[in-house]
Amino acid sequence: MRRTVFEADHELFRESVREFVERTLLPVDEDIRNERMLRREVWLEAGRQGFLGMQVPEEYGGQDAGDFRFNAVIGEELARVAVAYNSIVSIHIDICAPYLLELATDEAKKKWLPGFCTGELITAIGMTEPSGGSDLAALKTTAVRDGDQWVINGSKTFITNGGHADLIIVAAKTDPERGAKGITLFGVEAGTPGFSRGTKLDKVGQPEADTSELFFENVRVPDSHVIGELNRGFIHMMERLSQERLSCAVANVAHARGVLDETIAYVRERKAFGQPIGTFQHNKFLVAELITKLDVAQAFVDQCLAAHVAGELSAVDASKAKWWSSDVQNQIIDGCVQLFGGYGYMREYRVARAWMDARVTRIWAGSNEIMKEIIGRDAGL
């Protein structure tokens, strides 16, 4: 089915992103997996192409596109290679960007946004803690005012880009007795005394992504590094989670699409018992099911993308898109592994790596169980 969410400008832009992927990313893909982080040279080239500042005003060096569909194009093209690449870049342009653009002080914007656009300043967001998971209201990291500064203590875990980010947006309790109503967001720069990072976490999949623990021991930041309003950090995060979940959904479908396309080509060529394995009825029916599931998921995600551009995407619909797309993504890639047979279990094949990479999409950005809780509450349950 023809997609209608994108216009001619977006498809022209897609060609530029695809060229960037082929020219800059793919030649070092294996090295990135081995090093477990996106190389700075790739970030800088993405900055030169204007991909990192699509929504940033021109006064700070951005493109001021004013259309999230351009971000979605970037996410789709990166996810078709590996879903981790979307995760790495979307943390920066989809998730951190709105906090800096909408909530940071003018002083902080002038300091951070130019480098944000060029790739010289890479960002990450520190929400998740070792004991909290999806329960953001249960944060234990604290920030205590001391004169015109704040002193931060605590830790974060599972932080994408955490090992090499130059700026971390940190959620901390500034009024612990108020629970969720006592959280504030801060910008912590790399090199700040007391800020340290653990070793890169050894994940099951997505080796391209640098995922780390972060530690804060009497880290001092000035008032100008407060992001948003005091004690309204939880609300700020909730207001921006819909875009994060939509970004995940866009990538989930694109990732599954890339793997399924590769699998269909494989079953057309691979022969058993004298004929292509795709012609066996069971395999043909399985491919038909996978294609249909993916197209249906794509249609809903595209509708959510259009709603977001129009300023109409609800938190409930974003939750539906996130959990459904991740479930479908995992079903499709698991089916593709089965069609590849023994080769599908070999890491040298992209389908095997994609199978490992996809599993976490049902956990991050709020687990699928949390998504269903949000949808159920909206139904009055």
Side-chain angles (χ1 to χ4, degrees):
M1 183 174 290
R2 185 175 66 88
R3 300 175 68 188
T4 59
V5 69
F6 295 114
E7 299 173 9
D9 286 351
H10 303 109
E11 296 305 338
L12 285 173
F13 180 68
R14 187 185 300 277
E15 293 177 12
S16 298
V17 179
R18 195 166 288 175
E19 181 184 356
F20 161 79
V21 168
E22 293 175 355
R23 176 172 45 83
T24 304
L25 188 58
L26 290 181
V28 293
D29 177 48
E30 186 174 353
D31 293 332
I32 290 170
R33 289 200 301 274
N34 291 334
E35 295 165 10
R36 294 196 290 167
M37 64 176 287
L38 188 63
R39 289 181 168 184
R40 182 72 67 159
E41 66 201 53
V42 179
W43 282 106
L44 294 174
E45 181 58 26
R48 283 190 286 268
Q49 296 297 321
F51 300 153
L52 304 181
M54 294 305 298
Q55 308 307 321
V56 178
E58 292 180 6
E59 64 182 292
Y60 301 115
Q63 306 303 307
D64 204 9
D67 185 344
F68 187 76
R69 287 175 292 181
F70 288 104
N71 288 43
V73 167
I74 295 171
E76 287 186 347
E77 293 306 311
L78 292 175
R80 283 184 69 91
V81 179
V83 74
Y85 288 132
N86 170 76
S87 174
I88 294 164
V89 175
S90 72
I91 288 288
H92 188 72
I93 67 173
D94 296 346
I95 298 171
C96 290
Y99 291 98
L100 302 182
L101 290 170
E102 299 163 14
L103 301 173
T105 63
D106 289 341
E107 179 183 341
K109 288 178 184 178
K110 292 175 183 176
K111 183 179 184 181
W112 295 330
L113 286 177
F116 179 98
C117 295
T118 62
E120 295 170 284
L121 184 143
I122 299 166
T123 57
I125 187 162
M127 293 185 187
T128 306
E129 296 188 351
S131 60
S134 295
D135 186 4
L136 296 180
L139 297 179
K140 294 184 178 179
T141 298
T142 61
V144 178
R145 185 185 286 278
D146 183 15
D148 60 353
Q149 294 185 321
W150 291 87
V151 182
I152 302 174
N153 283 281
S155 64
K156 303 291 179 178
T157 193
F158 309 141
I159 307 304
T160 301
N161 297 345
H164 70 291
D166 305 292
L167 175 69
I168 316 289
I169 298 172
V170 179
K173 284 280 182 71
T174 43
D175 192 344
E177 294 183 0
R178 296 182 64 193
K181 295 181 179 180
I183 295 172
T184 303
L185 304 176
F186 298 87
V188 176
E189 296 175 337
T192 303
F195 170 59
S196 62
R197 319 174 201 247
T199 57
K200 295 175 186 175
L201 298 175
D202 186 14
K203 307 184 299 295
V204 171
Q206 300 199 26
E208 301 90 347
D210 157 23
T211 309
S212 303
E213 293 177 304
L214 307 178
F215 303 100
F216 308 89
E217 185 175 355
N218 295 324
V219 173
R220 289 181 172 272
V221 298
D223 267 333
S224 61
H225 285 203
V226 174
I227 298 175
E229 297 181 44
L230 184 66
N231 293 327
R232 287 181 59 85
F234 184 78
I235 294 173
H236 293 325
M237 290 187 286
M238 293 301 102
E239 289 172 342
R240 287 156 186 81
L241 278 175
S242 290
Q243 179 163 297
E244 177 179 355
R245 288 164 182 165
L246 174 62
S247 176
C248 290
V250 167
N252 293 343
V253 175
H255 183 228
R257 178 83 60 191
V259 176
L260 182 56
D261 287 348
E262 190 173 297
T263 302
I264 292 171
Y266 177 79
V267 298
R268 283 173 179 162
E269 298 174 0
R270 174 80 189 277
K271 291 187 177 181
F273 306 104
Q275 65 187 88
I277 63 172
T279 63
F280 297 142
Q281 187 183 65
H282 172 80
N283 292 344
K284 185 187 299 183
F285 283 11
L286 175 57
V287 169
E289 291 174 11
L290 300 181
I291 290 172
T292 305
K293 286 180 180 179
L294 188 57
D295 283 351
V296 172
Q298 183 77 78
F300 183 70
V301 171
D302 281 356
Q303 281 294 103
C304 288
L305 179 56
H308 185 55
V309 172
E312 299 171 355
L313 180 64
S314 69
V316 174
D317 284 342
S319 298
K320 293 173 186 174
K322 189 271 174 183
W323 94 256
W324 183 259
S325 65
S326 60
D327 261 26
V328 168
Q329 171 196 27
N330 276 265
Q331 291 169 23
I332 288 169
I333 297 176
D334 190 75
C336 291
V337 167
Q338 195 71 19
L339 289 166
F340 266 85
Y343 293 108
Y345 204 63
M346 300 296 108
R347 287 178 188 261
E348 65 185 279
Y349 282 77
R350 189 165 78 103
V351 66
R353 299 195 299 271
W355 183 58
M356 293 185 289
D357 294 346
R359 183 58 182 84
V360 75
T361 66
R362 291 156 62 189
I363 298 172
W364 66 15
S367 69
N368 282 5
E369 290 74 18
I370 295 294
M371 300 302 98
K372 294 175 186 179
E373 179 71 20
I374 292 169
I375 298 164
R377 287 179 184 178
D378 185 65
L381 304 176

